[in-house]
Amino acid sequence: MISAAHSNRLRLTPLRLSSYSLLCILLSILTACASGPTAKTATPTAASAKPTPTKQSAGVVLYQSNWPQGLKDWHASAGWKVNGNTLQTDLGENRTLQIPYTPTTPDYSVEYRVQIVNVPKDGGYFMLNADPATGKDGYQAHILNLLTAAPHGYATHPLSEIVIEPFEHEMDDASPQVLDFVPGSKWHTYRVDIQGARALFYVDGMRTSRAYSAKTNNLSQGPIRLVCGKAILNIGQIRVLSL
């Protein structure tokens, strides 16, 4: 027989269970409110890549001469004189000018205008040279053996060529091209293109000679000099351009 007290405890048990369940629900709600919405984790942003330098467009003038301003920065030898917008040399040998600009890239062009005024005896010349530098061969773009107006043998002509300096570094399978060239007394535009280990020589837009270095991947960026001798020449504008 179940006592009255025990019967009362049995009747209270469902109430106790309901209270316990309610308490659990309340605790769950309070815990959820306390924690709040889950914060979004910020996605780390990758560091911005450095912009790749844009290659200079071909044909941009990087430097150009201005003869009326004089030869102060040109390290000129004796024998030069300014004549308006041109420069003129005397008949001496090894008359030199050093372009007061050094290209900052391995690929570039040097363009210069020359007029032959007088060649009193055979053997006049002018050339554009870049000295060898550390790890870089130089080059020489020649116009050689300028002649007087007197008659000459059929096979005797001035020559144009470009060579690697030192010459023994010239690539064997790309020996320099030598071309007969009679400049006369007209103005001509000469241009040297330097592309890596290759040097190209143009006269009035026509390629006359090429040369390749077998030793270095790039050719010298200077100092770049114009060297003349044994002829009176007018020198027009000299320009350095991107290539």
Side-chain angles (χ1 to χ4, degrees), residues 63-83 85-90 92-101 110-114 125-131 139 187 222-229 233-240:
Y63 179 82
Q64 65 183 16
S65 60
N66 188 344
W67 302 132
Q69 292 185 353
L71 300 176
K72 177 183 176 182
D73 299 323
W74 285 78
H75 302 283
S77 68
W80 297 94
K81 68 177 181 180
V82 176
N83 186 13
N85 290 321
T86 63
L87 196 63
Q88 191 173 93
T89 183
D90 64 12
E93 291 209 55
N94 294 320
R95 299 318 196 199
T96 62
L97 294 171
Q98 181 175 307
I99 298 176
Y101 176 81
V110 183
E111 181 184 275
Y112 49 107
R113 288 179 53 76
V114 180
Y125 62 88
F126 59 94
M127 60 187 76
L128 187 81
N129 300 343
D131 296 342
Y139 57 87
W187 281 96
I224 302 171
R225 296 185 180 90
L226 185 66
V227 184
C228 309
L233 308 173
N234 283 334
I235 308 299
Q237 193 171 69
I238 299 176
R239 305 195 301 170
V240 182

Short mmCIF file of all heavy atoms in Angstrom, two decimals, residues 63-83 85-90 92-101 110-114 125-131 139 187 222-229 233-240:
data_model
loop_
_atom_site.label_atom_id
_atom_site.label_comp_id
_atom_site.label_asym_id
_atom_site.label_seq_id
_atom_site.Cartn_x
_atom_site.Cartn_y
_atom_site.Cartn_z
N TYR A 63 66.96 62.16 -75.77
CA TYR A 63 67.90 63.28 -75.70
C TYR A 63 68.12 63.80 -77.12
O TYR A 63 68.12 63.02 -78.08
CB TYR A 63 69.25 62.84 -75.11
CG TYR A 63 70.24 63.98 -75.04
CD1 TYR A 63 70.20 64.90 -74.00
CD2 TYR A 63 71.16 64.17 -76.07
CE1 TYR A 63 71.07 65.98 -73.97
CE2 TYR A 63 72.03 65.25 -76.04
CZ TYR A 63 71.98 66.15 -74.99
OH TYR A 63 72.84 67.21 -74.97
N GLN A 64 68.34 65.12 -77.24
CA GLN A 64 68.69 65.68 -78.54
C GLN A 64 69.61 66.88 -78.34
O GLN A 64 69.53 67.60 -77.34
CB GLN A 64 67.46 66.06 -79.35
CG GLN A 64 66.62 67.16 -78.78
CD GLN A 64 65.37 67.41 -79.64
OE1 GLN A 64 64.99 66.58 -80.47
NE2 GLN A 64 64.75 68.55 -79.45
N SER A 65 70.49 67.05 -79.31
CA SER A 65 71.46 68.15 -79.24
C SER A 65 70.78 69.49 -79.48
O SER A 65 69.70 69.57 -80.07
CB SER A 65 72.56 67.94 -80.28
OG SER A 65 72.00 67.91 -81.58
N ASN A 66 71.44 70.55 -79.02
CA ASN A 66 70.99 71.92 -79.26
C ASN A 66 72.24 72.77 -79.41
O ASN A 66 72.74 73.36 -78.45
CB ASN A 66 70.12 72.40 -78.09
CG ASN A 66 69.46 73.74 -78.37
OD1 ASN A 66 69.86 74.46 -79.28
ND2 ASN A 66 68.47 74.09 -77.56
N TRP A 67 72.78 72.81 -80.63
CA TRP A 67 74.09 73.42 -80.84
C TRP A 67 74.15 74.90 -80.48
O TRP A 67 75.21 75.36 -80.00
CB TRP A 67 74.54 73.23 -82.29
CG TRP A 67 74.62 71.78 -82.70
CD1 TRP A 67 74.12 71.22 -83.84
CD2 TRP A 67 75.25 70.70 -82.00
NE1 TRP A 67 74.38 69.87 -83.88
CE2 TRP A 67 75.08 69.52 -82.76
CE3 TRP A 67 75.94 70.61 -80.79
CZ2 TRP A 67 75.57 68.29 -82.36
CZ3 TRP A 67 76.43 69.37 -80.39
CH2 TRP A 67 76.25 68.24 -81.16
N PRO A 68 73.10 75.71 -80.66
CA PRO A 68 73.21 77.11 -80.25
C PRO A 68 73.54 77.29 -78.76
O PRO A 68 74.03 78.36 -78.36
CB PRO A 68 71.83 77.69 -80.58
CG PRO A 68 71.37 76.86 -81.74
CD PRO A 68 71.85 75.47 -81.42
N GLN A 69 73.28 76.28 -77.94
CA GLN A 69 73.63 76.37 -76.53
C GLN A 69 75.10 76.08 -76.26
O GLN A 69 75.58 76.18 -75.13
CB GLN A 69 72.76 75.40 -75.71
CG GLN A 69 71.30 75.80 -75.66
CD GLN A 69 70.49 74.89 -74.74
OE1 GLN A 69 70.99 73.89 -74.23
NE2 GLN A 69 69.24 75.24 -74.54
N GLY A 70 75.84 75.70 -77.31
CA GLY A 70 77.27 75.48 -77.15
C GLY A 70 77.61 74.04 -76.81
O GLY A 70 76.76 73.15 -76.78
N LEU A 71 78.89 73.80 -76.54
CA LEU A 71 79.43 72.45 -76.34
C LEU A 71 79.88 72.20 -74.91
O LEU A 71 80.69 71.30 -74.66
CB LEU A 71 80.61 72.23 -77.30
CG LEU A 71 80.30 72.35 -78.79
CD1 LEU A 71 81.57 72.20 -79.61
CD2 LEU A 71 79.27 71.31 -79.20
N LYS A 72 79.34 72.94 -73.98
CA LYS A 72 79.80 72.86 -72.60
C LYS A 72 79.79 71.44 -72.06
O LYS A 72 80.73 71.02 -71.37
CB LYS A 72 78.93 73.77 -71.73
CG LYS A 72 79.26 73.70 -70.25
CD LYS A 72 78.32 74.58 -69.45
CE LYS A 72 78.58 74.45 -67.95
NZ LYS A 72 77.62 75.27 -67.15
N ASP A 73 78.74 70.67 -72.31
CA ASP A 73 78.59 69.34 -71.71
C ASP A 73 79.06 68.21 -72.62
O ASP A 73 78.90 67.03 -72.29
CB ASP A 73 77.12 69.10 -71.33
CG ASP A 73 76.62 70.11 -70.32
OD1 ASP A 73 77.40 70.48 -69.43
OD2 ASP A 73 75.44 70.52 -70.43
N TRP A 74 79.67 68.54 -73.74
CA TRP A 74 79.97 67.53 -74.75
C TRP A 74 81.40 67.01 -74.71
O TRP A 74 81.77 66.17 -75.52
CB TRP A 74 79.66 68.07 -76.15
CG TRP A 74 78.19 68.12 -76.43
CD1 TRP A 74 77.30 69.05 -75.98
CD2 TRP A 74 77.44 67.20 -77.21
NE1 TRP A 74 76.04 68.77 -76.44
CE2 TRP A 74 76.10 67.63 -77.20
CE3 TRP A 74 77.77 66.06 -77.93
CZ2 TRP A 74 75.09 66.96 -77.87
CZ3 TRP A 74 76.76 65.39 -78.60
CH2 TRP A 74 75.45 65.83 -78.57
N HIS A 75 82.21 67.49 -73.81
CA HIS A 75 83.63 67.07 -73.73
C HIS A 75 84.28 67.13 -75.11
O HIS A 75 84.98 66.20 -75.53
CB HIS A 75 83.74 65.65 -73.15
CG HIS A 75 83.15 65.49 -71.79
ND1 HIS A 75 83.76 65.95 -70.65
CD2 HIS A 75 81.97 64.94 -71.40
CE1 HIS A 75 83.01 65.68 -69.60
NE2 HIS A 75 81.90 65.08 -70.02
N ALA A 76 84.05 68.21 -75.81
CA ALA A 76 84.52 68.33 -77.19
C ALA A 76 86.03 68.53 -77.24
O ALA A 76 86.62 69.25 -76.42
CB ALA A 76 83.82 69.51 -77.87
N SER A 77 86.66 67.89 -78.20
CA SER A 77 88.07 68.12 -78.46
C SER A 77 88.23 69.47 -79.17
O SER A 77 87.24 70.14 -79.50
CB SER A 77 88.64 67.00 -79.34
OG SER A 77 88.07 67.08 -80.64
N ALA A 78 89.46 69.84 -79.45
CA ALA A 78 89.70 71.01 -80.30
C ALA A 78 89.18 70.71 -81.71
O ALA A 78 89.02 69.56 -82.10
CB ALA A 78 91.20 71.31 -80.33
N GLY A 79 88.92 71.78 -82.47
CA GLY A 79 88.58 71.60 -83.88
C GLY A 79 87.12 71.69 -84.21
O GLY A 79 86.74 71.46 -85.37
N TRP A 80 86.26 72.02 -83.23
CA TRP A 80 84.83 72.14 -83.49
C TRP A 80 84.40 73.59 -83.37
O TRP A 80 84.93 74.34 -82.55
CB TRP A 80 84.03 71.32 -82.48
CG TRP A 80 84.26 69.85 -82.53
CD1 TRP A 80 85.14 69.14 -81.78
CD2 TRP A 80 83.60 68.92 -83.38
NE1 TRP A 80 85.08 67.81 -82.10
CE2 TRP A 80 84.13 67.64 -83.09
CE3 TRP A 80 82.62 69.01 -84.37
CZ2 TRP A 80 83.71 66.48 -83.73
CZ3 TRP A 80 82.20 67.86 -85.01
CH2 TRP A 80 82.74 66.62 -84.69
N LYS A 81 83.41 73.97 -84.16
CA LYS A 81 82.83 75.30 -84.00
C LYS A 81 81.33 75.22 -84.27
O LYS A 81 80.86 74.43 -85.11
CB LYS A 81 83.49 76.31 -84.93
CG LYS A 81 83.22 76.11 -86.41
CD LYS A 81 83.87 77.24 -87.23
CE LYS A 81 83.59 77.06 -88.73
NZ LYS A 81 84.21 78.16 -89.52
N VAL A 82 80.58 76.03 -83.53
CA VAL A 82 79.13 76.10 -83.71
C VAL A 82 78.84 77.06 -84.85
O VAL A 82 79.37 78.19 -84.90
CB VAL A 82 78.45 76.56 -82.41
CG1 VAL A 82 76.95 76.74 -82.64
CG2 VAL A 82 78.70 75.56 -81.29
N ASN A 83 77.99 76.64 -85.77
CA ASN A 83 77.62 77.46 -86.92
C ASN A 83 76.09 77.44 -87.03
O ASN A 83 75.52 76.65 -87.78
CB ASN A 83 78.27 76.92 -88.20
CG ASN A 83 78.03 77.80 -89.41
OD1 ASN A 83 77.58 78.94 -89.27
ND2 ASN A 83 78.32 77.27 -90.59
N ASN A 85 72.61 76.31 -86.31
CA ASN A 85 72.03 75.06 -85.82
C ASN A 85 72.85 73.84 -86.21
O ASN A 85 72.37 72.70 -86.09
CB ASN A 85 70.60 74.90 -86.35
CG ASN A 85 69.65 75.89 -85.72
OD1 ASN A 85 69.74 76.17 -84.53
ND2 ASN A 85 68.72 76.41 -86.52
N THR A 86 74.04 74.05 -86.70
CA THR A 86 74.93 72.95 -87.04
C THR A 86 76.27 73.12 -86.34
O THR A 86 76.58 74.18 -85.80
CB THR A 86 75.16 72.85 -88.56
OG1 THR A 86 75.82 74.04 -89.01
CG2 THR A 86 73.86 72.68 -89.31
N LEU A 87 77.03 72.04 -86.37
CA LEU A 87 78.37 72.02 -85.80
C LEU A 87 79.32 71.66 -86.92
O LEU A 87 79.01 70.82 -87.77
CB LEU A 87 78.42 70.97 -84.69
CG LEU A 87 79.57 71.01 -83.70
CD1 LEU A 87 79.53 72.30 -82.90
CD2 LEU A 87 79.47 69.81 -82.77
N GLN A 88 80.47 72.28 -86.94
CA GLN A 88 81.42 72.00 -88.01
C GLN A 88 82.79 71.66 -87.43
O GLN A 88 83.22 72.24 -86.44
CB GLN A 88 81.55 73.19 -88.96
CG GLN A 88 82.30 72.88 -90.24
CD GLN A 88 82.26 74.04 -91.22
OE1 GLN A 88 83.14 74.88 -91.23
NE2 GLN A 88 81.19 74.07 -92.04
N THR A 89 83.44 70.70 -88.07
CA THR A 89 84.76 70.29 -87.64
C THR A 89 85.80 70.75 -88.64
O THR A 89 85.49 71.00 -89.81
CB THR A 89 84.85 68.76 -87.49
OG1 THR A 89 86.14 68.40 -86.99
CG2 THR A 89 84.61 68.06 -88.81
N ASP A 90 87.05 70.87 -88.18
CA ASP A 90 88.14 71.22 -89.09
C ASP A 90 88.74 69.95 -89.70
O ASP A 90 88.15 68.87 -89.61
CB ASP A 90 89.19 72.07 -88.36
CG ASP A 90 89.88 71.32 -87.23
OD1 ASP A 90 89.73 70.07 -87.14
OD2 ASP A 90 90.59 71.96 -86.43
N GLY A 92 91.47 68.38 -88.80
CA GLY A 92 92.31 67.60 -87.90
C GLY A 92 91.78 66.18 -87.72
O GLY A 92 90.66 65.84 -88.12
N GLU A 93 92.60 65.36 -87.09
CA GLU A 93 92.22 63.97 -86.81
C GLU A 93 91.71 63.83 -85.38
O GLU A 93 92.02 64.63 -84.50
CB GLU A 93 93.40 63.03 -87.05
CG GLU A 93 93.78 62.92 -88.53
CD GLU A 93 94.39 61.56 -88.84
OE1 GLU A 93 93.73 60.54 -88.56
OE2 GLU A 93 95.50 61.53 -89.36
N ASN A 94 90.91 62.76 -85.18
CA ASN A 94 90.38 62.42 -83.85
C ASN A 94 89.66 63.60 -83.20
O ASN A 94 89.86 63.90 -82.02
CB ASN A 94 91.50 61.91 -82.94
CG ASN A 94 92.07 60.59 -83.42
OD1 ASN A 94 91.33 59.71 -83.87
ND2 ASN A 94 93.38 60.45 -83.35
N ARG A 95 88.81 64.24 -83.96
CA ARG A 95 87.93 65.27 -83.41
C ARG A 95 86.75 64.55 -82.78
O ARG A 95 86.02 63.81 -83.44
CB ARG A 95 87.46 66.22 -84.50
CG ARG A 95 88.57 66.99 -85.24
CD ARG A 95 89.63 67.49 -84.31
NE ARG A 95 90.48 68.51 -84.92
CZ ARG A 95 91.67 68.83 -84.44
NH1 ARG A 95 92.15 68.19 -83.37
NH2 ARG A 95 92.39 69.78 -85.01
N THR A 96 86.57 64.73 -81.49
CA THR A 96 85.59 63.91 -80.76
C THR A 96 84.56 64.77 -80.04
O THR A 96 84.84 65.88 -79.58
CB THR A 96 86.29 63.01 -79.72
OG1 THR A 96 86.97 63.82 -78.76
CG2 THR A 96 87.29 62.07 -80.39
N LEU A 97 83.37 64.20 -79.94
CA LEU A 97 82.27 64.72 -79.12
C LEU A 97 81.72 63.55 -78.31
O LEU A 97 81.58 62.44 -78.83
CB LEU A 97 81.13 65.26 -79.99
CG LEU A 97 81.36 66.50 -80.84
CD1 LEU A 97 80.15 66.69 -81.76
CD2 LEU A 97 81.56 67.72 -79.96
N GLN A 98 81.39 63.79 -77.07
CA GLN A 98 80.76 62.74 -76.25
C GLN A 98 79.34 63.16 -75.92
O GLN A 98 79.11 64.22 -75.32
CB GLN A 98 81.56 62.53 -74.96
CG GLN A 98 80.96 61.44 -74.06
CD GLN A 98 81.84 61.17 -72.85
OE1 GLN A 98 83.04 60.90 -73.01
NE2 GLN A 98 81.26 61.23 -71.67
N ILE A 99 78.39 62.35 -76.33
CA ILE A 99 76.98 62.67 -76.07
C ILE A 99 76.75 62.76 -74.56
O ILE A 99 77.06 61.81 -73.84
CB ILE A 99 76.05 61.62 -76.70
CG1 ILE A 99 76.24 61.60 -78.23
CG2 ILE A 99 74.59 61.90 -76.35
CD1 ILE A 99 75.43 60.53 -78.93
N PRO A 100 76.23 63.88 -74.07
CA PRO A 100 76.03 64.04 -72.63
C PRO A 100 74.76 63.35 -72.12
O PRO A 100 73.96 63.94 -71.38
CB PRO A 100 75.96 65.56 -72.45
CG PRO A 100 75.41 66.04 -73.74
CD PRO A 100 75.93 65.11 -74.81
N TYR A 101 74.58 62.11 -72.51
CA TYR A 101 73.42 61.33 -72.09
C TYR A 101 73.78 59.86 -72.18
O TYR A 101 74.42 59.42 -73.15
CB TYR A 101 72.20 61.62 -72.97
CG TYR A 101 71.00 60.78 -72.64
CD1 TYR A 101 70.17 61.11 -71.57
CD2 TYR A 101 70.71 59.62 -73.37
CE1 TYR A 101 69.07 60.31 -71.25
CE2 TYR A 101 69.62 58.84 -73.07
CZ TYR A 101 68.80 59.18 -72.00
OH TYR A 101 67.73 58.39 -71.69
N VAL A 110 70.68 55.67 -81.75
CA VAL A 110 71.35 56.97 -81.86
C VAL A 110 71.25 57.40 -83.31
O VAL A 110 71.64 56.66 -84.22
CB VAL A 110 72.83 56.89 -81.43
CG1 VAL A 110 73.45 58.28 -81.50
CG2 VAL A 110 72.96 56.33 -80.02
N GLU A 111 70.70 58.58 -83.52
CA GLU A 111 70.49 59.11 -84.87
C GLU A 111 71.27 60.42 -85.01
O GLU A 111 71.22 61.26 -84.12
CB GLU A 111 68.99 59.35 -85.09
CG GLU A 111 68.63 59.87 -86.46
CD GLU A 111 67.14 60.16 -86.55
OE1 GLU A 111 66.37 59.22 -86.84
OE2 GLU A 111 66.75 61.32 -86.31
N TYR A 112 71.98 60.57 -86.13
CA TYR A 112 72.78 61.79 -86.32
C TYR A 112 72.84 62.12 -87.80
O TYR A 112 72.86 61.25 -88.66
CB TYR A 112 74.19 61.62 -85.75
CG TYR A 112 74.92 60.36 -86.15
CD1 TYR A 112 75.98 60.39 -87.05
CD2 TYR A 112 74.56 59.11 -85.61
CE1 TYR A 112 76.65 59.23 -87.41
CE2 TYR A 112 75.22 57.96 -85.97
CZ TYR A 112 76.27 58.02 -86.87
OH TYR A 112 76.92 56.86 -87.23
N ARG A 113 72.84 63.42 -88.10
CA ARG A 113 72.87 63.90 -89.48
C ARG A 113 74.23 64.49 -89.78
O ARG A 113 74.77 65.26 -88.99
CB ARG A 113 71.75 64.92 -89.72
CG ARG A 113 70.39 64.25 -89.76
CD ARG A 113 69.25 65.24 -89.97
NE ARG A 113 69.41 66.11 -91.13
CZ ARG A 113 69.22 65.73 -92.40
NH1 ARG A 113 68.86 64.47 -92.67
NH2 ARG A 113 69.38 66.59 -93.39
N VAL A 114 74.76 64.12 -90.95
CA VAL A 114 76.10 64.55 -91.33
C VAL A 114 76.11 64.98 -92.79
O VAL A 114 75.50 64.32 -93.65
CB VAL A 114 77.15 63.42 -91.12
CG1 VAL A 114 78.54 63.90 -91.51
CG2 VAL A 114 77.14 62.93 -89.68
N TYR A 125 87.09 60.38 -92.52
CA TYR A 125 86.24 59.39 -91.83
C TYR A 125 85.39 60.07 -90.75
O TYR A 125 85.70 61.17 -90.29
CB TYR A 125 87.10 58.31 -91.17
CG TYR A 125 88.04 58.85 -90.10
CD1 TYR A 125 87.64 58.97 -88.77
CD2 TYR A 125 89.33 59.26 -90.44
CE1 TYR A 125 88.49 59.48 -87.81
CE2 TYR A 125 90.19 59.76 -89.49
CZ TYR A 125 89.77 59.88 -88.16
OH TYR A 125 90.62 60.40 -87.21
N PHE A 126 84.33 59.38 -90.36
CA PHE A 126 83.61 59.70 -89.12
C PHE A 126 82.96 58.43 -88.62
O PHE A 126 82.66 57.51 -89.40
CB PHE A 126 82.59 60.84 -89.31
CG PHE A 126 81.53 60.59 -90.33
CD1 PHE A 126 80.29 60.08 -89.97
CD2 PHE A 126 81.74 60.91 -91.67
CE1 PHE A 126 79.29 59.88 -90.91
CE2 PHE A 126 80.75 60.71 -92.63
CZ PHE A 126 79.52 60.20 -92.25
N MET A 127 82.77 58.35 -87.33
CA MET A 127 82.25 57.11 -86.73
C MET A 127 81.54 57.42 -85.41
O MET A 127 81.85 58.42 -84.75
CB MET A 127 83.37 56.11 -86.50
CG MET A 127 84.46 56.59 -85.56
SD MET A 127 85.88 55.45 -85.47
CE MET A 127 86.67 55.80 -87.04
N LEU A 128 80.61 56.55 -85.06
CA LEU A 128 79.93 56.62 -83.77
C LEU A 128 80.40 55.42 -82.95
O LEU A 128 80.24 54.28 -83.39
CB LEU A 128 78.42 56.58 -83.94
CG LEU A 128 77.63 56.82 -82.65
CD1 LEU A 128 77.55 58.32 -82.36
CD2 LEU A 128 76.22 56.22 -82.73
N ASN A 129 80.97 55.68 -81.79
CA ASN A 129 81.55 54.63 -80.96
C ASN A 129 80.91 54.60 -79.58
O ASN A 129 80.59 55.65 -79.02
CB ASN A 129 83.05 54.85 -80.76
CG ASN A 129 83.83 54.86 -82.06
OD1 ASN A 129 83.34 54.41 -83.09
ND2 ASN A 129 85.04 55.39 -82.02
N ALA A 130 80.75 53.41 -79.04
CA ALA A 130 80.39 53.24 -77.63
C ALA A 130 81.46 52.39 -76.98
O ALA A 130 81.73 51.27 -77.44
CB ALA A 130 79.02 52.58 -77.49
N ASP A 131 82.07 52.90 -75.93
CA ASP A 131 83.15 52.18 -75.27
C ASP A 131 82.63 50.90 -74.62
O ASP A 131 81.51 50.87 -74.10
CB ASP A 131 83.79 53.04 -74.19
CG ASP A 131 84.46 54.28 -74.75
OD1 ASP A 131 84.74 54.28 -75.96
OD2 ASP A 131 84.71 55.23 -73.98
N TYR A 139 80.82 49.03 -79.53
CA TYR A 139 80.60 48.93 -80.97
C TYR A 139 81.17 50.18 -81.63
O TYR A 139 81.39 51.22 -80.98
CB TYR A 139 79.12 48.78 -81.31
CG TYR A 139 78.25 49.90 -80.78
CD1 TYR A 139 78.06 51.08 -81.51
CD2 TYR A 139 77.61 49.79 -79.55
CE1 TYR A 139 77.28 52.11 -81.02
CE2 TYR A 139 76.83 50.81 -79.05
CZ TYR A 139 76.66 51.97 -79.79
OH TYR A 139 75.89 52.99 -79.29
N TRP A 187 73.17 65.99 -97.27
CA TRP A 187 72.92 65.58 -95.89
C TRP A 187 72.39 64.14 -95.89
O TRP A 187 71.57 63.78 -96.73
CB TRP A 187 71.87 66.48 -95.24
CG TRP A 187 72.38 67.82 -94.78
CD1 TRP A 187 72.32 68.99 -95.45
CD2 TRP A 187 73.01 68.09 -93.52
NE1 TRP A 187 72.87 70.01 -94.70
CE2 TRP A 187 73.30 69.48 -93.50
CE3 TRP A 187 73.35 67.33 -92.41
CZ2 TRP A 187 73.91 70.11 -92.43
CZ3 TRP A 187 73.96 67.95 -91.33
CH2 TRP A 187 74.24 69.32 -91.34
N GLY A 222 77.27 53.27 -73.30
CA GLY A 222 78.08 54.49 -73.34
C GLY A 222 79.25 54.43 -72.39
O GLY A 222 79.45 53.44 -71.69
N PRO A 223 80.05 55.51 -72.42
CA PRO A 223 79.89 56.76 -73.17
C PRO A 223 79.85 56.54 -74.69
O PRO A 223 80.51 55.67 -75.21
CB PRO A 223 81.12 57.58 -72.77
CG PRO A 223 81.61 56.98 -71.49
CD PRO A 223 81.27 55.53 -71.59
N ILE A 224 79.03 57.37 -75.35
CA ILE A 224 78.86 57.30 -76.80
C ILE A 224 79.52 58.53 -77.42
O ILE A 224 79.23 59.66 -77.01
CB ILE A 224 77.36 57.25 -77.18
CG1 ILE A 224 76.69 56.04 -76.51
CG2 ILE A 224 77.20 57.17 -78.70
CD1 ILE A 224 75.19 56.03 -76.65
N ARG A 225 80.41 58.30 -78.38
CA ARG A 225 81.19 59.40 -78.96
C ARG A 225 81.07 59.43 -80.48
O ARG A 225 80.98 58.39 -81.13
CB ARG A 225 82.67 59.25 -78.60
CG ARG A 225 82.97 59.36 -77.11
CD ARG A 225 84.47 59.32 -76.87
NE ARG A 225 84.79 59.44 -75.46
CZ ARG A 225 84.90 58.41 -74.63
NH1 ARG A 225 84.72 57.18 -75.10
NH2 ARG A 225 85.19 58.60 -73.37
N LEU A 226 81.11 60.65 -81.02
CA LEU A 226 81.26 60.85 -82.45
C LEU A 226 82.72 61.25 -82.68
O LEU A 226 83.23 62.16 -82.03
CB LEU A 226 80.33 61.96 -82.94
CG LEU A 226 80.29 62.20 -84.45
CD1 LEU A 226 79.70 61.00 -85.18
CD2 LEU A 226 79.49 63.47 -84.77
N VAL A 227 83.37 60.54 -83.59
CA VAL A 227 84.79 60.76 -83.87
C VAL A 227 84.94 61.05 -85.36
O VAL A 227 84.43 60.30 -86.20
CB VAL A 227 85.64 59.53 -83.48
CG1 VAL A 227 87.12 59.82 -83.69
CG2 VAL A 227 85.37 59.11 -82.04
N CYS A 228 85.65 62.13 -85.71
CA CYS A 228 85.82 62.54 -87.10
C CYS A 228 87.29 62.85 -87.38
O CYS A 228 88.07 63.12 -86.46
CB CYS A 228 85.00 63.80 -87.41
SG CYS A 228 83.27 63.70 -86.92
N GLY A 229 87.65 62.85 -88.67
CA GLY A 229 89.02 63.22 -89.03
C GLY A 229 89.22 63.39 -90.51
O GLY A 229 88.53 62.77 -91.33
N LEU A 233 83.28 68.51 -91.92
CA LEU A 233 81.92 67.96 -91.86
C LEU A 233 81.00 68.94 -91.15
O LEU A 233 81.41 69.63 -90.20
CB LEU A 233 81.91 66.64 -91.08
CG LEU A 233 82.90 65.56 -91.51
CD1 LEU A 233 82.85 64.40 -90.52
CD2 LEU A 233 82.60 65.08 -92.92
N ASN A 234 79.77 68.98 -91.59
CA ASN A 234 78.70 69.63 -90.83
C ASN A 234 77.94 68.55 -90.08
O ASN A 234 77.56 67.53 -90.67
CB ASN A 234 77.74 70.38 -91.75
CG ASN A 234 78.30 71.70 -92.24
OD1 ASN A 234 79.14 72.30 -91.58
ND2 ASN A 234 77.85 72.15 -93.40
N ILE A 235 77.73 68.78 -88.81
CA ILE A 235 76.97 67.84 -87.98
C ILE A 235 75.65 68.49 -87.61
O ILE A 235 75.61 69.57 -87.00
CB ILE A 235 77.75 67.47 -86.69
CG1 ILE A 235 79.16 66.99 -87.03
CG2 ILE A 235 76.98 66.42 -85.90
CD1 ILE A 235 79.23 65.76 -87.89
N GLY A 236 74.56 67.86 -88.01
CA GLY A 236 73.25 68.35 -87.65
C GLY A 236 72.82 67.80 -86.29
O GLY A 236 73.66 67.50 -85.43
N GLN A 237 71.54 67.64 -86.11
CA GLN A 237 71.03 67.19 -84.82
C GLN A 237 71.45 65.76 -84.51
O GLN A 237 71.45 64.89 -85.38
CB GLN A 237 69.51 67.30 -84.80
CG GLN A 237 68.89 67.16 -83.41
CD GLN A 237 67.42 67.49 -83.44
OE1 GLN A 237 66.62 66.77 -84.00
NE2 GLN A 237 67.06 68.61 -82.82
N ILE A 238 71.81 65.53 -83.27
CA ILE A 238 72.09 64.19 -82.75
C ILE A 238 70.99 63.86 -81.75
O ILE A 238 70.71 64.65 -80.84
CB ILE A 238 73.47 64.12 -82.08
CG1 ILE A 238 74.57 64.44 -83.11
CG2 ILE A 238 73.70 62.73 -81.47
CD1 ILE A 238 75.97 64.49 -82.49
N ARG A 239 70.38 62.69 -81.90
CA ARG A 239 69.29 62.29 -81.00
C ARG A 239 69.51 60.87 -80.48
O ARG A 239 70.03 60.02 -81.20
CB ARG A 239 67.94 62.35 -81.73
CG ARG A 239 67.62 63.69 -82.36
CD ARG A 239 66.14 63.78 -82.74
NE ARG A 239 65.72 62.74 -83.66
CZ ARG A 239 64.44 62.51 -83.99
NH1 ARG A 239 63.47 63.21 -83.44
NH2 ARG A 239 64.14 61.55 -84.83
N VAL A 240 69.08 60.65 -79.25
CA VAL A 240 69.00 59.31 -78.67
C VAL A 240 67.52 59.00 -78.51
O VAL A 240 66.77 59.81 -77.96
CB VAL A 240 69.73 59.23 -77.32
CG1 VAL A 240 69.66 57.81 -76.77
CG2 VAL A 240 71.19 59.68 -77.45
#
